[in-house]
């Protein structure tokens, strides 16, 4: 076990790290550290989960502890093996490896036995009231609740009904098991919380063995306890659950472990990003209703969406590190995430040339049929990564907006009478253009300076502008997808709730009113240099002067498809 003193120094400790260090110093749990990441397998992981993952795994790494993956699979109607596999893939992609893979469903027997014990001890009872009646009796934080008429029923009755809840004899919703705590407690979670309910749906792992399933509050803390978790880190909405968490752990411990071996829950703020809707429930609606092209649509805030969009795992980790952990909710700026990815990709990305809005450029004094291989640097941040070549010829494509017939003074690109350098190649002089009958520019006419290439006598001649280009004959046609924010609303979570409230409508109806109609722009008439189409294995690209891109999952060398990860500069304030 490494002590805090031997771990690498970083700026300052966040409040969870401070707590962990205090717990270690006090010798709690024999100064052992064990955390867990506990996803419910009811959807794919999103960037909010990345924040939890970085903390759960990060604390274990930093303090020489263990972090396990535990699937919180107590709700069989919503859960699926597909999600479990995807969750594991995404955690690994993010750069973390769990020590053990656990399932809350592995503890169904232990939880059942514990529940039986509570009934026998008079700490739990079967309530046969409807969900509505139970809710109506809850009271309010300032008004005590009403005790259920079943609260003091004989233990034997509860025991026998509990067995029936699990044998298939009891329909869903007919009865529940409740902990008997305090209907007048100022903490609403103490007002005889439901701890077991009937679910008549096969479980992805335990099949039809169980019909009675533990509720989250009854499964989570006990699972932590059974596994030996020391620090159970979760988000702030669980603050009011903490006393119940502690109570159930006290009950399950039954005075054992006098050395105070027990898990402790600590809460941190959720990640919220502007223009982004998190929460798997909402994301599932978007996928099911076809608002997006699957969980990994590059506009989705899922980890697989960011991966397909071209985000590196490092950029997500850096972003999480930048925003940090606090005890109050905030709305973070998406631009901060983009600046993290830009910073990371600047270091990582392979530079290539692509023309997204092509127009022809002809070098009228360059020999017809001649081809030169020009040398292009792979990554100026890493000269050791070498160069590749890009074919040059008389007939090129350049970006349409790199030419202007009547240009303003500070326009240093192609305009009649002006010299411009073609990157990695020659200086050309713009002589004019040809237009079609409608007045659209269809060809730019230039002459080149044959001694202006790198290594030649005229190479040092300075011109103000440099533009990129592709050889018409050699470049490869490609589809390029440009993404923008999917929601028009800065705070889509609140906006969604407000619309639903106002119009009394479902989530889909509300979502449709919030959609940015321009979140995806598909360009089908783009070109890339041959090297970019055939590159193998390299994932992160910079289309020079345009932005960061990656191959889409549908990409092939014959039919290249690229996704824009992020532009070169912040365009969010537009
Ligand atoms: P969702 O509402 O998206 O389904 P959840 O909290 O129900 O989220 P779980 O799979 O139950 O998702 O959560 C796994 C872990 O991830 C929990 O510890 C949870 O607190 C954490 N988590 C979920 N969303 C966020 C978020 N936005 N920021 C930080 N942590 C989060
Ligand atoms: Mg959930």
């Amino acid at each position: 076990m490494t002590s805090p003193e031997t771990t690498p120094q970083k700026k300052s400790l966040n409040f969870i790290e401070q707590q962990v260090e205090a717990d270690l110093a006090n010798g709690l749990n024999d100064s052992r550290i064990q955390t867990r990441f506990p996803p419910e397998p009811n959807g794919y992981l999103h960037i909010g989960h990345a924040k939890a993952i970085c903390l759960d795994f990060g604390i274990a790494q930093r303090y020489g502890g263990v972090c396990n993956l535990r699937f919180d699979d107590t709700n069989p109607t919503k859960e699926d093996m597909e999600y479990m596999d995807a969750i594991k893939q995404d955690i690994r992609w993010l750069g973390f490896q769990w020590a053990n893979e656990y399932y809350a469903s592995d503890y169904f027997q232990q939880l059942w036995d514990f529940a039986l014990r509570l009934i026998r001890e008079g700490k739990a009872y079967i309530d046969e009231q409807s969900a509505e009646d139970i809710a109506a009796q809850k009271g309010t934080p300032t008004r005590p609740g009403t005790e259920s008429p079943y609260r003091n029923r004989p233990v034997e009755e509860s025991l026998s009904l509990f067995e029936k809840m699990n044998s298939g004899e009891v329909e869903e919703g007919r009865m529940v098991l409740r902990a008997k705590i305090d209907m007048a407690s100022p903490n609403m979670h103490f007002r005889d919380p439901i701890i077991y309910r009937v679910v008549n749906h096969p479980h992805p792992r335990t099949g039809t063995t169980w019909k009675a399933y533990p509720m989250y509050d009854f499964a989570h803390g006990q699972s932590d306890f059974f596994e030996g978790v020391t620090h159970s880190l979760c988000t702030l909405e669980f603050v009011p659950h903490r006393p119940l968490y502690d109570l159930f752990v006290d009950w399950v411990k039954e005075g054992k472990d006098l050395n105070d071996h027990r898990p402790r829950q600590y809460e941190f703020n959720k990640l919220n990003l502007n223009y982004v809707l998190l929460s798997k429930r909402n994301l599932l609606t978007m996928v099911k209703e076809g608002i997006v092209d699957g969980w990994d649509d590059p506009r989705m805030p899922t980890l697989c969406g960011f991966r397909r969009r071209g985000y590196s795992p490092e950029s997500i980790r850096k972003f999480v590190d930048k925003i940090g952990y606090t005890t109050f909710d905030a709305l973070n700026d998406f631009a901060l995430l983009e600046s993290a990815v830009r910073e990371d990709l600047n270091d990582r990305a392979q530079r290539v040339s692509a023309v997204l809005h092509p127009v022809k450029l002809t070098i009228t004094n360059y020999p017809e049929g001649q081809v030169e291989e020009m040398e292009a640097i792979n990554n100026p941040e890493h000269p050791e990564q070498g160069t590749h070549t890009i074919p040059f010829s008389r007939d090129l494509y350049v970006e349409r907006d790199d030419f202007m017939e009547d240009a303003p003074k500070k326009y240093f690109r192609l305009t009649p009478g002006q010299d411009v350098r073609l990157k990695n190649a020659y200086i050309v002089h713009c002589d004019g253009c040809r237009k079609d009958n409608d007045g659209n520019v269809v060809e730019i006419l230039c002459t080149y300076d044959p001694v202006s290439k790198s290594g030649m006598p005229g190479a040092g001649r300075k011109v103000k502008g440099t533009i990129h280009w592709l050889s018409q004959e050699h470049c490869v046609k490609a589809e390029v997808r440009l993404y923008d924010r999917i929601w028009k609303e800065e705070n889509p979570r609140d906006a969604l709730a407000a619309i639903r409230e106002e119009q009394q409508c479902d989530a889909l109806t509300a979502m449709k009113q919030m959609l940015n109609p321009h979140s995806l722009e598909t360009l089908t008439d783009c070109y890339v240099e041959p090297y970019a189409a055939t590159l193998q294995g390299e994932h992160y690209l910079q289309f020079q002067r345009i932005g960061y891109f990656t191959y889409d999952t549908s990409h092939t060398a014959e039919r290249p498809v690229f996704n824009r990860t992020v532009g070169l500069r912040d365009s969010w304030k537009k």
Side-chain angles (χ1 to χ4, degrees):
M1 190 181 293
T2 42
S3 71
E5 291 76 30
T6 62
T7 52
Q9 282 303 306
K10 86 170 199 191
K11 37 197 179 168
S12 64
L13 299 181
N14 66 43
F15 78 99
I16 299 276
E17 290 164 339
Q18 286 172 13
Q19 182 65 56
V20 167
E21 295 204 354
D23 292 348
L24 284 172
N26 290 327
L28 299 184
N29 291 299
D30 293 331
S31 297
R32 204 172 49 80
I33 297 295
Q34 184 174 323
T35 59
R36 85 287 169 268
F37 174 62
E40 184 181 353
N42 61 348
Y44 284 59
L45 296 182
H46 54 63
I47 189 154
H49 294 110
K51 179 170 178 173
I53 291 171
C54 289
L55 187 66
D56 293 329
F57 285 89
I59 289 283
Q61 276 172 4
R62 188 179 169 98
Y63 297 103
V66 166
C67 180
N68 297 315
L69 170 61
R70 181 175 72 238
F71 287 107
D72 228 321
D73 55 345
T74 54
N75 194 4
T77 48
K78 301 219 171 108
E79 295 161 4
D80 202 288
M81 289 288 193
E82 174 202 344
Y83 299 139
M84 297 185 188
D85 292 339
I87 287 170
K88 289 195 268 185
Q89 186 190 0
D90 289 345
I91 299 172
R92 286 201 193 94
W93 175 73
L94 204 54
F96 298 102
Q97 181 57 54
W98 51 96
N100 301 288
E101 181 178 324
Y102 294 138
Y103 294 81
S105 54
D106 289 340
Y107 313 125
F108 282 168
Q109 186 65 51
Q110 274 164 284
L111 291 167
W112 173 264
D113 294 342
F114 178 42
L116 283 178
R117 195 183 97 204
L118 294 186
I119 298 174
R120 287 196 196 99
E121 291 173 356
K123 290 176 181 157
Y125 61 96
I126 297 287
D127 194 335
E128 295 179 59
Q129 299 182 101
S130 67
E132 296 74 41
D133 288 345
I134 293 176
Q137 291 163 4
K138 267 257 144 145
T140 67
T142 50
R143 186 168 52 76
T146 312
E147 292 189 356
S148 161
Y150 296 99
R151 196 171 199 262
N152 296 310
R153 76 190 314 166
V155 164
E156 288 313 319
E157 257 179 48
S158 283
L159 283 175
S160 123
L161 289 172
F162 192 40
E163 291 292 350
K164 289 200 169 113
M165 275 176 66
N166 200 40
S167 64
E169 289 165 74
V170 172
E171 299 160 44
E172 284 185 23
R174 262 287 291 118
M175 58 185 74
V176 291
L177 182 68
R178 296 176 73 179
K180 193 192 282 187
I181 309 179
D182 178 3
M183 287 305 289
S185 171
N187 184 326
M188 299 293 285
H189 296 280
F190 272 12
R191 296 190 183 176
D192 290 12
I194 297 171
I195 57 177
Y196 262 89
R197 85 278 198 213
V198 174
V199 181
N200 263 314
H201 192 283
H203 185 281
R205 292 186 76 244
T206 59
T208 53
T209 309
W210 300 93
K211 299 276 189 298
Y213 287 90
M215 302 294 288
Y216 174 91
D217 278 328
F218 195 68
H220 201 92
Q222 282 84 286
S223 301
D224 285 343
F225 174 76
F226 297 145
E227 287 169 6
V229 167
T230 60
H231 293 77
S232 182
L233 309 175
C234 64
T235 40
L236 289 173
E237 73 272 25
F238 290 100
V239 167
H241 296 245
R242 196 206 279 202
L244 186 57
Y245 178 104
D246 287 337
L247 179 70
F248 284 149
V249 171
D250 285 342
W251 282 359
V252 77
K253 258 166 60 95
E254 247 193 327
K256 273 183 240 144
D257 301 302
L258 294 174
N259 237 351
D260 199 26
H261 290 175
R262 65 179 302 144
R264 286 180 176 76
Q265 175 181 303
Y266 298 106
E267 309 85 6
F268 60 93
N269 64 325
K270 269 199 159 168
L271 173 65
N272 282 310
L273 277 172
N274 61 359
Y275 299 102
V276 173
L277 192 58
L278 295 177
S279 157
K280 283 174 280 179
R281 192 163 36 90
N282 289 323
L283 301 180
L284 180 64
T285 303
M286 292 164 72
V287 171
K288 271 200 177 153
E289 303 293 345
I291 289 182
V292 289
D293 169 30
W295 286 96
D296 69 344
D297 185 300
R299 293 165 295 177
M300 287 284 269
T302 49
L303 294 182
C304 55
F306 281 116
R307 177 162 69 232
R308 185 165 164 201
R309 175 96 174 242
Y311 277 63
S312 62
E314 292 84 357
S315 62
I316 293 178
R317 296 206 306 261
K318 275 180 204 161
F319 166 71
V320 166
D321 193 50
K322 261 186 205 168
I323 56 171
Y325 297 87
T326 69
T327 53
F328 44 90
D329 278 314
L331 188 62
N332 288 113
D333 200 343
F334 198 85
L336 208 61
L337 174 60
E338 292 205 325
S339 83
V341 70
R342 239 181 243 118
E343 195 180 303
D344 184 69
L345 294 184
N346 178 50
D347 185 65
R348 207 176 288 283
Q350 159 80 52
R351 270 60 169 179
V352 294
S353 292
V355 174
L356 304 194
H357 301 95
V359 60
K360 290 179 175 174
L361 181 153
T362 308
I363 307 174
T364 51
N365 63 338
Y366 191 86
E368 261 179 75
Q370 178 171 311
V371 180
E372 285 182 77
E373 291 293 335
M374 301 302 187
E375 197 171 26
I377 293 170
N378 287 330
N379 183 349
E381 303 293 320
H382 290 282
E384 75 281 3
Q385 288 174 15
T387 60
H388 67 278
T389 60
I390 169 167
F392 182 84
S393 69
R394 184 179 196 270
D395 301 307
L396 306 177
Y397 285 125
V398 296
E399 290 289 348
R400 194 160 274 282
D401 69 2
D402 280 339
F403 174 81
M404 264 180 105
E405 204 171 12
D406 294 307
K409 260 213 154 66
K410 295 233 158 140
Y411 186 82
F412 297 123
R413 293 173 274 168
L414 294 165
T415 188
Q418 191 153 283
D419 286 0
V420 164
R421 178 171 288 281
L422 299 179
K423 190 162 174 75
N424 305 315
Y426 297 99
I427 292 172
V428 293
H429 179 81
C430 182
D431 300 306
C433 66
R434 264 191 339 102
K435 294 181 192 171
D436 65 12
N437 293 338
D438 300 328
N440 301 311
V441 174
V442 293
E443 185 181 7
I444 303 161
L445 302 168
C446 293
T447 44
Y448 84 121
D449 171 358
V451 296
S452 58
K453 200 172 80 164
S454 152
M456 289 178 160
R461 180 151 74 90
K462 288 275 179 278
V463 292
K464 285 224 166 109
T466 300
I467 65 168
H468 66 282
W469 49 271
L470 292 171
S471 166
Q472 285 171 36
E473 192 195 331
H474 302 93
C475 65
V476 182
K477 188 149 183 160
E479 177 175 319
V480 173
R481 299 175 185 168
L482 306 179
Y483 301 98
D484 197 352
R485 53 178 77 138
I486 193 162
W487 305 115
K488 290 186 287 195
E489 304 291 338
E490 168 149 31
N491 187 337
R493 189 191 57 183
D494 290 358
L496 184 74
I499 296 174
R500 292 191 61 177
E501 168 72 26
E502 197 183 301
Q503 303 177 9
Q504 290 295 308
C505 64
D506 60 17
L508 178 64
T509 310
M511 280 179 182
K512 284 183 175 160
Q513 300 168 55
M514 293 165 38
L515 277 175
N516 169 11
H518 310 293
S519 64
L520 168 61
E521 186 185 355
T522 305
L523 306 176
T524 51
D525 189 30
C526 307
Y527 295 95
V528 297
E529 62 172 288
Y531 182 70
T534 56
L535 259 186
Q536 294 283 325
E538 173 65 83
H539 212 76
Y540 307 105
L541 302 174
Q542 186 195 93
F543 288 179
Q544 299 188 78
R545 303 180 59 231
I546 301 177
Y548 293 100
F549 289 78
T550 195
Y551 305 108
D552 184 58
T553 44
S554 63
H555 168 90
T556 61
E558 295 70 40
R559 200 186 155 278
V561 182
F562 297 91
N563 294 323
R564 182 173 66 192
T565 310
V566 64
L568 287 183
R569 272 166 290 277
D570 185 1
S571 60
W572 276 75
K573 306 229 154 60
K574 69 193 165 195

